[in-house]
């Protein structure tokens, strides 16, 4: 069984499903996807995601403010903690640094990132990190603020193998999205081959970044299977092995998602 470790269920294109999220999730379940971590990109989106999770036992949520989301008032660590507590988040994020765009100044991004990292440490929750063109600063802030016993994940990873290895040494997981299937992503497939399997996660980041052969379409959770298939091909192992290990990794990192709360034995 597969896990989509990062999806935006409140932003899916539900046109193929007559506007019904239930049908989109059923399509994923029919392909063996049986857990979904729905990610907030703003604190204002938390109530909607919490309602989705309330309606679906296999959906959990993570609460955060995306580094490029513009707000009039920056939340401090206490506000992030309060939101996570109120809506039952199993993780903090997505948060991080994205220096590819300038919509949010870099100093504001840094302040915001640190507030999330402090909230995660205070709540003893893993952190979901978005990083783009900010390798050194991302790693430095992880080392300074994250408890490696709790750790987190670099989601939709697009950086190099050296950064992946350094993040793993700091207690982090590496999550691969549909980008790994793109013809231009040879360096990322090297990451897929070289990062220890017990440190990999798979995700869709839907509705973005649909994998081959669906590239160009709005992404959806069922296509996490294509990500797993690509990793299996690159590593020379079965898709079942990828599914089993990434699922175990998911529950190890996010114990709040584990069936019955048994984070040390996710298959019970």
């Amino acid at each position: 069984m597969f896990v989509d470790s990062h999806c935006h269920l409140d932003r899916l294109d539900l046109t193929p499903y007559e506007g019904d999220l239930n049908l989109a999730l059923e399509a994923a379940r029919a392909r063996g996807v049986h857990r979904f971590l729905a990610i907030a990109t703003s604190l204002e989106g938390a109530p909607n995601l919490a309602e989705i999770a309330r309606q679906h036992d296999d959906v959990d949520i993570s609460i955060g403010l995306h580094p490029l989301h513009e707000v009039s008032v920056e939340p401090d660590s206490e506000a992030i903690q309060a939101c996570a507590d109120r809506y039952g988040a199993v993780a903090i994020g997505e948060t991080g640094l994205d220096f590819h765009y300038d919509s949010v100044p870099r100093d504001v991004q840094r302040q915001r990132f640190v507030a999330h990292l402090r909230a995660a440490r205070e709540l003893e929750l893993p952190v979901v990190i978005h990083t783009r063109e900010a390798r050194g600063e991302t790693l430095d802030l992880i080392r300074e603020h994250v408890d490696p016993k709790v750790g987190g994940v670099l989601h939709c990873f697009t950086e190099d193998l050296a950064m992946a290895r350094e993040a793993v040494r700091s207690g982090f997981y590496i999550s691969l999205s549909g980008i790994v299937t793109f013809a231009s992503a040879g360096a990322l497939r090297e990451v897929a081959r070289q990062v220890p399997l017990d440190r990999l996660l798979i995700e869709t980041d839907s509705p973005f970044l649909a994998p081959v052969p669906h590239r160009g379409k709005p992404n959806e959770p069922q296509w996490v299977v294509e990500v797993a298939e690509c990793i299996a091909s690159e590593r020379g192992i079965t898709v079942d092995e990828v599914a089993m290990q990434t699922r175990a990794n998911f529950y190890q990192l996010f114990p709040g998602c584990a069936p019955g709360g048994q984070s040390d034995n996710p298959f019970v």
Side-chain angles (χ1 to χ4, degrees):
M1 294 195 294
F2 302 91
V3 170
D4 187 353
S5 69
H6 191 114
C7 51
H8 301 281
L9 297 183
D10 55 343
R11 303 180 70 177
L12 296 185
D13 179 1
L14 298 174
T15 304
Y17 300 103
E18 301 177 350
D20 190 343
L21 176 61
N22 296 321
L23 297 180
L25 294 178
E26 281 300 322
R29 294 176 188 125
R31 297 193 69 198
V33 186
H34 289 285
R35 202 82 199 178
F36 311 86
L37 183 55
I39 308 293
T41 56
S42 71
L43 301 190
E44 290 75 18
N48 187 27
L49 285 183
E51 178 60 21
I52 291 172
R54 188 190 68 79
Q55 295 176 13
H56 302 278
D57 291 341
D58 52 2
V59 174
D60 296 285
I61 66 172
S62 180
I63 295 301
L65 177 60
H66 192 282
L68 297 179
H69 189 86
E70 299 179 53
V71 293
S72 56
V73 178
E74 286 292 322
D76 58 17
S77 177
E78 289 73 20
I80 297 165
Q81 291 178 54
C83 187
D85 275 338
R86 180 175 182 181
Y87 294 108
V90 300
I92 299 296
E94 66 185 282
T95 182
L97 300 172
D98 190 321
F99 293 165
H100 183 75
Y101 297 103
D102 298 319
S103 57
V104 176
R106 293 184 180 186
D107 60 333
V108 175
Q109 289 192 42
R110 294 184 188 99
Q111 174 188 351
R112 182 183 296 180
F113 188 23
V114 170
H116 282 75
L117 295 177
R118 287 175 174 165
R121 190 174 189 111
E122 187 68 25
L123 295 174
E124 297 184 334
L125 291 177
V127 61
V128 178
I129 293 180
H130 169 114
T131 180
R132 189 175 185 188
E133 298 180 17
R135 300 179 191 181
E137 290 197 52
T138 298
L139 289 170
D140 286 346
L141 290 171
I142 284 173
R143 296 187 196 100
E144 182 177 355
H145 294 285
V146 176
D147 182 350
K149 295 178 183 177
V150 179
V153 56
L154 298 185
H155 105 90
C156 193
F157 189 79
T158 56
E159 303 293 344
D160 60 16
L161 181 58
M163 183 182 188
R165 285 173 168 162
E166 190 61 35
V168 168
R169 281 193 286 269
S170 296
F172 269 66
Y173 290 77
I174 304 299
S175 183
L176 299 177
S177 70
I179 295 175
V180 75
T181 70
F182 296 178
S184 59
L188 195 56
R189 285 189 286 278
E190 178 69 11
V191 172
R193 290 191 295 270
Q194 296 296 330
V195 169
L197 189 58
D198 64 1
R199 282 287 157 171
L200 282 181
L201 296 177
I202 54 176
E203 64 172 271
T204 59
D205 201 13
S206 50
F208 313 106
L209 305 170
V212 175
H214 311 288
R215 192 173 181 184
K217 301 176 182 178
N219 203 0
E220 51 184 283
Q222 67 164 306
W223 293 338
V224 76
V225 177
E226 279 76 353
V227 179
E229 290 172 343
C230 179
I231 295 171
S233 177
E234 291 297 321
R235 298 185 75 104
I237 60 178
T238 68
V239 176
D240 283 349
E241 288 177 272
V242 173
M244 181 179 295
Q245 187 62 61
T246 55
R247 182 170 179 258
N249 297 345
F250 177 82
Y251 287 122
Q252 186 66 34
L253 177 60
F254 302 110
C257 301
Q262 298 298 315
S263 60
D264 57 342
N265 188 357
F267 300 102
V268 171

